[in-house]
Amino acid sequence: EVVLTQSPATLSLSPGERATLSCRASQSVRSYFAWYQQKPGQAPRLLIYDASTRATGIPARFSGSGSGTDFTLTISGLEPEDFAVYYCQQRNNWPITFGQGTRLEIK
Amino acid sequence: EVQLLESGGGLVQPGGSLRLSCAASGFTFSAYAMSWVRQAPGKGLEWVSLISISGTNTYYGDFVKGRFTISRDNSKNTVYLQMNSLRAEDTAVYYCAKDLGDPHPSHDYWGQGTLVTVSS
């Protein structure tokens, strides 16, 4: 199966700063890649699919890039509600796999 | 408004069985693949299974090893997950999720989850 490795495990930033989250795949997943946000006690929320397409209703401060094995989620100008856990996911190969998550916390 | 309502979770002994249901509304259910994703307490997300719009094609995580069966009833707008031979490591919140297409397992809507606890 495709292993997704997210870095860093924890990211400490202040509101207004720019966040850069990474995910590396153990083999190419082309652009069949997504990012999710999860807050405590809530279901995940789709942010980005197909590596760079924002899902419906997602603010423009969220952007995704990459293809093949290296992907990045960028949040430009952190808002207080952005502090959460972020997961990457690939759908190029069965079984579908998720990364282990990056916790974005307030500094 | 899209709604996904899971049910059927609970406490079960190791080796036992449970059937989860997910009732969908607010979209054309028969036009989308559906998935189950789970999350063990304090852990990350783990994809479990996907079913195509017709139910013809099903896919499973490697850990399932023939123990789980996903199915759907498009006349009832419901997707199911039959879980047999349950193990302690299957303890998790199980989420039902709508996929973006068929198949396009990026999940744009999720239910609130149902907790499955496997313990003696």
Side-chain angles (χ1 to χ4, degrees):
Chain A
E1 72 178 36
V2 177
V3 176
L4 300 179
T5 304
Q6 294 188 239
S7 61
T10 302
L11 184 58
S12 299
L13 293 171
S14 300
E17 290 192 294
R18 179 187 186 96
T20 302
L21 288 67
S22 298
C23 186
R24 174 164 288 177
S26 59
Q27 62 189 81
S28 176
V29 297
R30 297 186 284 176
S31 294
Y32 297 132
F33 195 86
W35 290 96
Y36 297 84
Q37 176 194 69
Q38 188 179 33
K39 297 179 181 179
Q42 296 185 16
R45 173 193 183 195
L46 178 65
L47 299 175
I48 302 287
Y49 64 94
D50 293 348
S52 61
T53 302
R54 272 191 303 276
T56 302
I58 301 303
R61 65 180 181 273
F62 291 90
S63 63
S65 63
S67 67
T69 61
D70 292 292
F71 299 87
T72 300
L73 174 69
T74 302
I75 313 171
S76 57
L78 283 166
E79 298 287 346
E81 62 267 26
D82 298 336
F83 292 92
V85 179
Y86 291 82
Y87 294 95
C88 58
Q89 180 206 38
Q90 67 82 24
R91 66 177 183 92
N92 187 65
N93 297 80
W94 302 104
I96 295 162
T97 49
F98 286 93
Q100 83 280 12
T102 289
R103 181 178 303 277
L104 177 57
E105 64 178 25
I106 299 176
K107 187 174 183 180
Chain B
E1 179 191 6
V2 172
Q3 291 193 348
L4 299 170
L5 186 60
E6 302 98 335
S7 61
L11 176 63
V12 61
Q13 293 188 337
S17 298
L18 275 179
R19 187 195 197 200
L20 306 184
S21 300
C22 172
S25 61
F27 65 101
T28 305
F29 180 75
S30 59
Y32 294 92
M34 297 293 294
S35 292
W36 288 93
V37 178
R38 72 182 186 180
Q39 187 169 35
K43 302 297 184 182
L45 302 174
E46 183 172 40
W47 177 78
V48 177
S49 184
L50 176 150
I51 187 166
S52 64
I53 57 176
S54 64
T56 301
N57 298 312
T58 58
Y59 306 88
Y60 298 93
D62 288 348
F63 64 90
V64 169
K65 299 186 189 301
R67 302 180 298 129
F68 296 177
T69 302
I70 191 171
S71 60
R72 67 189 293 161
D73 185 337
N74 287 343
S75 69
K76 296 182 178 179
N77 289 357
T78 301
V79 60
Y80 306 95
L81 186 68
Q82 176 68 43
M83 303 188 295
N84 300 328
S85 303
L86 283 163
R87 308 165 179 164
E89 54 265 36
D90 294 318
T91 294
V93 172
Y94 285 73
Y95 294 102
C96 167
K98 171 187 168 293
D99 293 356
L100 278 176
D102 180 50
H104 185 148
S106 299
H107 318 299
D108 59 346
Y109 288 94
W110 298 63
Q112 84 291 346
T114 187
L115 177 62
V116 172
T117 303
V118 184
S119 175
S120 55

